[in-house]
Amino acid sequence: TMIEVKTERDIWKSTGNICIEIRCNGKPSGISTTGSSVWIHLLSYKDRIVGGFIFNVADLKNQIKTLVKEKKAKIVMGGDFDASQIVLLPISKLFS
């Protein structure tokens, strides 16, 4: 089993969101192209891992689609030079 590990740093604490990349420079990337079946999303605050989540990638993709469709998550541009399309996912809705 391949595992993708991402770390969310600091800002999640004030926004309540994690962000997951879906496209970069107009091409699918991140969760859209991962070959992993498990996605680990760590929560870091002041350079210390304080917790995190473990997802089945297929389930996480479905949850992202559902939350975006229900307008409970939003797609924005971010990352270096705003080249990445990312989904802002409310932590409170991840397992609903």
Side-chain angles (χ1 to χ4, degrees):
T1 300
M2 286 185 24
I3 299 171
E4 184 109 17
V5 180
K6 300 294 181 186
T7 302
E8 199 72 36
R9 290 182 173 79
D10 298 335
I11 197 162
W12 64 271
K13 199 141 169 93
S14 60
T15 65
N17 295 324
I18 63 171
C19 67
I20 296 180
E21 182 178 297
I22 55 174
R23 298 176 77 77
C24 187
N25 295 318
K27 296 183 181 133
S29 63
I31 197 163
S32 301
T33 58
T34 187
S36 299
S37 57
V38 175
W39 186 279
I40 296 177
H41 210 99
L42 300 173
L43 300 176
S44 169
Y45 186 66
K46 295 184 178 176
D47 294 322
R48 196 172 139 257
I49 300 297
V50 297
F53 307 102
I54 301 171
F55 302 98
N56 169 291
V57 169
D59 293 344
L60 181 56
K61 285 179 177 181
N62 285 333
Q63 184 67 340
I64 290 169
K65 285 177 190 159
T66 299
L67 290 172
V68 169
K69 189 171 142 191
E70 293 174 351
K71 298 192 184 329
K72 293 178 181 168
K74 67 180 167 181
I75 298 172
V76 299
M77 298 305 289
D80 295 336
F81 309 108
D82 279 344
S84 297
Q85 199 174 26
I86 55 177
V87 182
L88 298 179
L89 296 163
I91 292 169
S92 63
K93 305 284 186 211
L94 287 175
F95 301 98
S96 56

